[in-house]
Amino acid sequence: MSAPGDVTGSWELRVRLLLSIQRALLGEVTPNIRVVTAHIDAHTIVLRWVIDGEISDSFRLDLSAVAAEVAADFATHQIAEEFVRCDASHAIDELYLDDVAYARKE
């Protein structure tokens, strides 16, 4: 792993995160998921789920199972999840974190 502050190391970590999220999403994407966006630093991963419509408790559990798969790939990081309702009629640009792992066609 690269030294802290190393741009190459940061880039590699971000790519690793995106690939992990995309793998974990296989077979789990539903039509109401607008965007899955993420941020990673030395100790924390933030996953933000931007959802069109109501976010039920069972749907949160399904998405948390995806996050658990990502967490398994990053043993030294804490995972934080954010569930944001943003219906299709509203812009989502301001909700993006550093990287977008999934975005539906709109």
Side-chain angles (χ1 to χ4, degrees):
M1 179 87 26
S2 301
D6 182 351
V7 174
T8 303
S10 172
W11 179 82
E12 291 170 351
L13 192 60
R14 289 170 66 186
V15 168
R16 200 172 130 223
L17 174 62
L18 287 173
L19 290 172
S20 176
I21 296 167
Q22 290 165 352
R23 178 198 47 79
L25 282 170
L26 290 174
E28 300 295 331
V29 175
T30 57
N32 58 334
I33 299 175
R34 292 185 71 189
V35 169
V36 179
T37 185
H39 166 79
I40 189 168
D41 62 28
H43 305 288
T44 306
I45 293 170
V46 178
L47 297 177
R48 181 177 291 163
W49 309 97
V50 181
I51 307 301
D52 185 0
E54 185 177 335
I55 307 169
S56 69
D57 289 341
S58 64
F59 190 55
R60 284 178 192 258
L61 286 174
D62 290 343
L63 295 177
S64 290
V66 172
E69 289 190 41
V70 173
D73 291 337
F74 292 87
T76 61
H77 286 76
Q78 296 293 316
I79 301 285
E81 291 182 274
E82 299 175 355
F83 301 91
V84 179
R85 179 179 179 166
C86 186
D87 295 338
S89 60
H90 297 95
I92 56 175
D93 295 346
E94 69 274 1
L95 297 174
Y96 289 171
L97 298 175
D98 296 335
D99 297 295
V100 175
Y102 169 82
R104 77 178 184 191
K105 181 178 180 178
E106 297 192 351

